[in-house]
Amino acid sequence: MKKPLVGALFAVLLLGAGTAPAAAATSHDAPAASTAKASASAAASVGRTASDAASSGLAAGHIRAQAIGFAGTVALSNCSGSVVRAPGSQPGDPALVLSNGHCMESGFPGPGEVVFNQRSTRSFTLLNASGSGVGTVRASKIAYGTMTDTDISVYQLTSTYAQIESRYGIKALELNTTHPVQGTAITVVSGYWKRTYSCNIDGFVYRLKEGEWTWKDSVRYTSACQTIGGTSGSPVIDNATGKVVAVNNTGNEDGQRCTDNNPCEVDESGQVTVREGINYAQETYGIVPCIGAGNVFDLSRAGCALPKP
């Protein structure tokens, strides 16, 4: 997985780099085997904003797209995320935050496990367009979370969309309602690192297998999106529409086959392909049919195909 970061790693970065991300990392996160690689990659990037990247002449894959900023994204203690809304969400509805299932404070849910309406008081640092933290929003519960078929967590907040917009001037990002399209120009926006990655959707993976977990119909990026630990849960935004089409979650780090932090692609015939250095996301359009009136998750709604408890 594009891991949540361990507390020890954050301490090293804080001491060595001098500029910290918006929030500290927690301790329940990444497998130890991948910590060293995440540390090296993350230390090189810590504190770098999109404008820093542009001025230092980094490759286009690391520079913020002109129209895509950080407004509406959040930094978790160990991951990235975003305040999102369904097309039918109302201003007075409690707002939702989208991240990965493997970013939940309760730890990685096992295969077949679904977290539903579980109490949470988790806090999130809300960012503006330039990546500055403008305030803190807090969860009332994990409305939904799983690592089965997909890798998502959706938190319900104590604040409404109207309250967030009035207090901070930040609007939620809208979830797209249709399947993403191959070749689409996208931007992965990490609230944790205040860093973005621009590339295209290279294609879709019938089954993406990583360790114990298997995800369906995953998004594969072109090679320009070299996401790192801490980018887990970042919204994947369609550059043309500004809508969220997926949530960033993993990548093959070492060329291994189907192991933790080294997902493999499995096609309909069972053929396995390993793509070292390639990163992936989970589609989000399937979340929309499961959100009912008042932003309440209702897994019995027509069209809702998310795994059930």
Side-chain angles (χ1 to χ4, degrees):
M1 281 141 282
K2 271 302 167 218
K3 308 160 294 300
L5 297 180
V6 295
L9 166 59
F10 179 68
V12 170
L13 293 175
L14 182 61
L15 293 172
T19 306
T26 57
S27 59
H28 71 265
D29 315 310
S34 61
T35 299
K37 182 169 182 180
S39 179
S41 297
S45 317
V46 64
R48 175 176 286 149
T49 64
S51 59
D52 292 334
S55 63
S56 63
L58 290 177
H62 296 269
I63 299 175
R64 179 163 58 93
Q66 186 69 26
I68 305 297
F70 294 91
T73 63
V74 299
L76 285 66
S77 58
N78 58 351
C79 284
S80 301
S82 56
V83 179
V84 296
R85 62 181 299 274
S89 297
Q90 299 300 308
D93 290 342
L96 303 175
V97 163
L98 171 68
S99 189
N100 284 149
H102 76 261
C103 292
M104 289 189 292
E105 65 269 34
S106 53
F108 293 9
E113 183 180 353
V114 173
V115 176
F116 189 66
N117 286 338
Q118 177 176 295
R119 184 177 179 275
S120 174
T121 58
R122 194 168 195 183
S123 61
F124 311 89
T125 301
L126 182 67
L127 305 184
N128 64 15
S130 65
S132 297
V134 294
T136 300
V137 292
R138 190 171 297 277
S140 61
K141 65 181 178 180
I142 303 173
Y144 185 87
T146 192
M147 288 178 66
T148 298
D149 295 350
T150 185
D151 183 8
I152 61 170
S153 60
V154 182
Y155 289 81
Q156 186 178 101
L157 300 184
T158 58
S159 305
T160 67
Y161 295 115
Q163 288 170 335
I164 291 172
E165 186 171 357
S166 174
R167 188 173 303 156
Y168 305 114
I170 301 297
K171 294 184 177 181
L173 302 175
E174 185 173 334
L175 295 170
N176 198 45
T177 60
T178 58
H179 192 284
V181 177
Q182 186 175 12
T184 297
I186 55 173
T187 301
V188 183
V189 187
S190 172
Y192 185 92
W193 290 117
K194 301 181 183 178
R195 184 177 177 184
T196 63
Y197 303 80
S198 296
C199 60
N200 295 80
I201 294 177
D202 185 52
F204 304 97
V205 182
Y206 177 68
R207 298 289 185 268
L208 189 66
K209 180 173 175 55
E210 178 174 344
E212 299 180 88
W213 297 277
T214 300
W215 303 305
K216 297 179 178 179
D217 197 22
S218 302
V219 173
R220 180 177 61 241
Y221 306 144
T222 53
S223 60
C225 280
Q226 289 294 306
T227 51
I228 61 174
T231 63
S232 286
S234 299
V236 179
I237 299 176
D238 182 328
N239 291 354
T241 65
K243 295 181 180 181
V244 177
V245 296
V247 58
N248 180 67
N249 82 307
T250 195
N252 187 292
E253 296 188 354
D254 306 307
Q256 296 178 25
R257 177 185 169 111
C258 313
T259 62
D260 288 348
N261 306 311
N262 290 281
C264 62
E265 300 182 11
V266 184
D267 67 15
E268 292 90 336
S269 66
Q271 179 71 34
V272 175
T273 302
V274 173
R275 302 179 192 267
E276 183 175 0
I278 294 299
N279 297 291
Y280 302 89
Q282 301 306 308
E283 297 162 355
T284 51
Y285 75 100
I287 297 173
V288 175
C290 305
I291 299 175
N295 265 1
V296 174
F297 264 70
D298 180 356
L299 303 181
S300 65
R301 295 186 84 232
C304 178
L306 290 177
K308 296 173 176 58

